[in-house]
Amino acid sequence: MRLLIVGTLEGYITAAGKIAMKRGAKVSHTDSIEGALNALRTAAGADLVMIDVKLDIATFIDSLKAERITIPVVACGIGTDAAAAVRAIRAGAKEYLPLPPNAELIAAVLEAVAEESHSIVCSDPAMLATLRLAEQVAPSDASVMITGESGTGKELMARFIHRKSRRSNEPFVAVNCAAIPENLLESELFGHEKGAFTGAVARRLGKFEEANNGTLLLDELSEMHPRLQAKLLRAIQEKEIDRIGSSQPVKVNVRLIATSNRNLEAEVRSGNFREDLYFRLNVFSVAIPSLRERPADIPMIAEHFLKKYAEANGLGDKRLTEDAMLMLKSHHWRGNVRELENTMHRAVLLSRGEEVGPEAIMLTSKLLAPEGSAQASIPSDSPVANPFAGPGGTVPAAPSQPQQPSAPLVVPPPGALPNSYGPPKGGKPGPYGMAANSSAAAAASAGTSGAGLAALIGRTVADVERDLILETLTHCLGNRTHAANILGISIRTLRNKLKQYGDEGRSVPTPGNDERATA
């Protein structure tokens, strides 16, 4: 944990620093906002900023946003000045700490920042074998390629390798290559000099220099543009980088870990990923099994998130009933651990009392369930299934109509992604969510192929594409990565489409909780 203290803190700098250092933090200090920005632009960096409430916190946070520096900011001031606390929070501070510093309060803040569940919860033999393999390679400096479906915990595995390595006391820096626009990713990785381009108000060290002597995680590497792949290859081979706008190379010593939820060998064959870079990074490969392949982990992970979100919402202890656990065990978990986490978060909020029963379990991805195992997204007895039921209800019951037998859902093997949206010729099974033998792509959602096809007549391809993308994103609860996988397009293409729809005034679902930090 690296703590940066900004300002005088009314003379309590020494006391606050000593408390933080006793808790294992590395503390640095600067008097001004400009000094803080300079410190954060360098390789030293920080994981948390404590700033004097008398300084211009709003300007400081705006500067951080302008330079794409993401870091939690905590304001500090004398006593419990409510007005100062409100101003600081409105300016963007995460918390307000009264001075003189309280040891337990500072410890709690440091723990909250450092904690973030970087531990891996598992008991299934398949996952334990993967952890043993990762632990075996961790002490070396070999590059590691971590593969697995979206939501399996690839970044957690990268942090596990870093903790078990000889570089564990050095920085661990993660870069999401899919979340940063292509024209900014080069600056983010390699840094830039002042004036190198519009908006480069000062020298900025990139992630390579920030991770010097430590570990650099390149998350979703398959989304990186081929031009940048060439520059990355040189950085790996020569162990030096060139900042944008500089003619002097900089030596770096980093251990690289890369992740991807795509089949990189297939990407190499299709020409989307450089073969030489693939072999440079894939010195050692760790494949994380999907949650479907490690069913013994489901109860343990579910209990972990149940406890976490019950505490976070101040709801006391809760426990899963046997019926609820059976629902979780029988679900297909296409979204893996991330989907399970979201499910348990919803269950905590919907449950009544200490027990979490089936009525509180809302399972997503109904159209992605394997044949014969599709489950309703909202149980009929869920508190949100019929909010007007009971005394005083105002919604009349829907007229009963004969139910048409639905066509079976066809799902390809794990890892296969759809590359088209319409059903293939000859009535063969279509991609995810497409009903077998349907006559139109809309048949699965429309219930009858004729009605679905009629709804498409007279509409442009662009209109149909837009509705498909937005409906899929809504179905995925705003999760861009999950939606892109379902649609069979890259995350970059999806983000460009969503930006276009937003500019047109369309309502675009907000990113899921796990993506907001990088969206």
Side-chain angles (χ1 to χ4, degrees):
M1 164 63 69
R2 298 167 296 170
L3 172 65
L4 175 62
I5 298 177
V6 186
T8 63
L9 298 193
E10 302 290 348
Y12 290 107
I13 296 173
T14 303
K18 285 182 177 178
I19 292 172
M21 285 189 287
K22 284 182 179 178
R23 301 289 176 168
K26 296 180 180 179
V27 181
S28 56
H29 171 255
T30 182
D31 290 323
S32 65
I33 287 177
E34 187 57 38
L37 291 172
N38 287 333
L40 294 174
R41 292 177 187 127
T42 67
D47 300 306
L48 174 68
V49 172
M50 290 175 59
I51 185 171
D52 195 326
V53 75
K54 292 184 177 181
L55 296 177
D56 191 347
I57 296 177
T59 298
F60 176 61
I61 291 179
D62 287 343
S63 298
L64 293 179
K65 292 178 180 177
E67 297 193 38
R68 307 183 309 282
I69 300 175
T70 304
I71 187 172
V73 176
V74 175
C76 302
I78 289 290
T80 54
D81 186 342
V86 169
R87 286 195 303 271
I89 298 299
R90 285 179 175 173
K94 298 293 184 184
E95 187 58 83
Y96 176 86
L97 293 182
L99 297 174
N102 177 282
E104 295 304 318
L105 197 55
I106 289 182
V109 172
L110 293 177
E111 184 179 352
V113 174
E115 169 240 304
E116 261 319 352
S117 31
H118 292 152
S119 57
I120 297 177
V121 179
C122 68
S123 62
D124 193 277
M127 190 62 183
L128 291 175
T130 302
L131 284 177
R132 284 194 295 270
L133 190 64
E135 190 170 8
Q136 185 176 349
V137 73
S140 74
D141 281 337
S143 299
V144 179
M145 177 69 72
I146 302 176
T147 59
E149 294 180 7
S150 179
T152 50
K154 294 186 288 296
E155 182 171 341
L156 290 183
M157 181 63 74
R159 290 182 180 274
F160 174 82
I161 293 173
H162 173 71
R163 288 198 305 271
K164 297 291 183 179
S165 73
R166 293 175 295 179
R167 300 171 181 254
S168 57
N169 293 325
E170 301 296 337
F172 175 91
V173 179
V175 183
N176 190 328
C177 300
I180 303 174
E182 178 190 331
N183 59 335
L184 297 178
L185 183 57
E186 182 176 4
S187 168
E188 198 73 18
L189 287 175
F190 304 110
H192 61 254
E193 296 290 344
K194 181 178 179 179
F197 51 84
T198 303
V201 297
R203 170 188 282 185
R204 169 84 182 277
L205 300 190
K207 299 301 183 183
F208 266 91
E209 289 180 84
E210 188 177 335
N212 197 31
N213 297 321
T215 303
L216 177 62
L217 168 63
L218 300 175
D219 197 13
E220 302 299 350
L221 181 68
S222 54
E223 302 298 328
M224 183 181 288
H225 191 276
R227 182 182 64 82
L228 268 184
Q229 292 176 24
K231 190 167 182 178
L232 175 61
L233 178 64
R234 181 183 180 279
I236 298 173
Q237 291 175 332
E238 306 299 329
K239 297 188 182 299
E240 64 180 27
I241 55 118
D242 295 304
R243 297 194 201 107
I244 300 176
S246 173
S247 58
Q248 297 296 323
V250 179
K251 288 290 183 181
V252 290
N253 174 24
V254 298
R255 194 231 186 121
L256 283 174
I257 300 179
T259 74
S260 176
N261 61 0
R262 294 178 179 270
N263 185 331
L264 282 183
E265 291 186 3
E267 294 292 303
V268 169
R269 287 196 298 271
S270 63
N272 295 326
F273 198 83
R274 292 180 63 103
E275 183 177 13
D276 45 5
L277 178 59
Y278 170 72
F279 287 117
R280 275 287 179 180
L281 291 172
N282 194 30
V283 176
F284 197 91
S285 180
V286 175
I288 302 180
S290 66
L291 194 55
R292 299 182 301 280
E293 297 170 310
R294 45 184 174 121
D297 284 345
I298 294 176
M300 180 179 289
I301 297 175
E303 294 287 354
H304 168 76
F305 287 126
L306 187 70
K307 180 180 179 181
K308 173 182 175 179
Y309 288 111
E311 291 178 354
N313 290 278
L315 298 177
D317 293 337
K318 289 183 177 288
R319 65 179 186 84
L320 284 163
T321 64
E322 291 186 8
D323 290 342
M325 186 62 77
L326 284 174
M327 285 184 66
L328 298 179
K329 290 180 178 179
S330 61
H331 191 54
H332 54 87
W333 300 118
R334 186 69 188 180
N336 293 293
V337 178
R338 185 180 295 124
E339 182 185 354
L340 178 55
E341 178 180 5
N342 292 341
T343 299
M344 298 316 300
H345 195 173
R346 287 192 296 268
V348 166
L349 300 177
L350 291 175
S351 61
R352 298 163 176 167
E354 296 181 356
E355 289 192 340
V356 177
E359 71 281 354
I361 305 295
M362 295 171 57
L363 298 176
T364 58
S365 304
K366 175 183 176 182
L367 295 180
L368 296 180
E371 184 175 354
S373 66
Q375 300 165 341
S377 295
I378 305 178
S380 59
D381 54 351
S382 168
V384 296
N386 191 358
F388 299 101
T394 58
V395 178
S400 59
Q401 295 179 351
Q403 297 295 318
Q404 297 294 330
S406 58
L409 298 176
V410 179
V411 177
L417 295 177
N419 52 18
S420 62
Y421 304 116
K425 297 179 180 179
K428 296 181 181 179
Y432 300 143
M434 299 297 178
N437 301 319
S438 66
S439 60
S445 58
T448 59
S449 59
L453 183 60
L456 298 178
I457 295 175
R459 303 186 62 194
T460 66
V461 172
D463 284 345
V464 175
E465 180 188 58
R466 181 191 64 235
D467 289 350
L468 175 64
I469 289 175
L470 293 178
E471 285 294 327
T472 303
L473 188 61
T474 300
H475 173 74
C476 295
L477 306 179
N479 189 304
R480 269 66 172 158
T481 304
H482 196 174
N485 285 342
I486 294 174
L487 293 167
I489 60 179
S490 72
I491 188 71
R492 182 177 290 110
T493 299
L494 176 61
R495 291 184 189 280
N496 290 339
K497 290 288 185 182
L498 296 181
K499 183 179 185 303
Q500 174 188 334
Y501 301 153
D503 293 342
E504 294 172 354
R506 304 284 177 178
S507 177
V508 177
T510 56
N513 290 334
D514 54 342
E515 292 193 325
R516 285 175 184 160
T518 56

